[in-house]
Amino acid sequence: MRDGAVLLLKKLYDLLQEKRKYSRVYVLVPLEIVTDSAAKNKINGIIHNLSSGGLGILLDRVLAVNTIVQLKFELRGACKLENVQAGVVRCNKIGTKYDVGLLFMNLGQNQARVDDYLNNLKKKKYESTVDVSRYVV
């Protein structure tokens, strides 16, 4: 099932390929999103692509465009990121899931770590650190 999910994501990327300001690296990394200042509303998702400027994620629920969220995730072997602020720039329903585009707003000192992580993965197409079978459409 996991290989099928990765194949599905690869096909999705081929279909959605477009010119971007930052080049993307395709990853499968778990993510936690907080959508309110009281940190009571948490959503778990999967990062499916990452760039210096933002990331693409899969979620079970919709996020409104222009919503500001806090992110928590770990880039294996590079860094653990918490309280990363991001803005929702798109949210498209794909089957029963939502493909959400987020723009980083405050990477600050972590920018160099993210960039190093991305540069180290440029030779790979995917890094999987999570079972994506529950996110298959």
Side-chain angles (χ1 to χ4, degrees):
M1 184 72 169
R2 185 179 181 149
D3 291 337
V6 172
L7 272 174
L8 178 66
L9 286 173
K10 286 180 182 179
K11 288 181 182 179
L12 176 64
Y13 297 132
D14 290 341
L15 292 172
L16 298 177
Q17 191 63 28
E18 59 187 72
K19 291 183 180 182
R20 298 179 184 268
K21 185 174 179 179
Y22 301 102
S23 63
R24 299 278 167 172
V25 172
Y26 302 108
V27 297
L28 296 172
V29 176
L31 162 87
E32 182 180 277
I33 300 171
V34 177
T35 60
D36 64 347
S37 59
K40 292 181 181 178
N41 193 6
K42 295 181 181 180
I43 306 167
N44 292 316
I46 295 178
I47 301 170
H48 62 80
N49 73 57
L50 177 68
S51 78
S52 290
L55 42 84
I57 62 174
L58 287 176
L59 297 176
D60 289 329
R61 60 170 271 202
V62 67
L63 283 180
V65 173
N66 296 323
T67 300
I68 305 300
V69 296
Q70 298 292 321
L71 309 176
K72 178 181 176 181
F73 59 97
E74 184 172 355
L75 299 175
R76 186 171 55 184
C79 59
K80 186 173 186 177
L81 299 158
E82 295 182 356
N83 299 317
V84 173
Q85 194 174 43
V88 178
V89 294
R90 68 175 165 72
C91 183
N92 300 311
K93 187 168 185 172
I94 299 177
T96 61
K97 306 296 177 187
Y98 293 89
D99 179 34
V100 180
L102 298 171
L103 179 68
F104 291 132
M105 300 176 78
N106 71 334
L107 273 182
Q109 64 194 30
N110 289 314
Q111 185 71 60
R113 290 179 179 170
V114 170
D115 290 344
D116 288 344
Y117 178 81
L118 292 169
N119 289 331
N120 289 333
L121 287 181
K122 294 285 181 176
K123 295 177 185 175
K124 296 181 182 180
K125 284 194 173 185
Y126 291 87
E127 175 181 310
S128 181
T129 60
V130 66
D131 179 9
V132 297
S133 60
R134 78 180 194 98
Y135 288 91
V136 175
V137 181

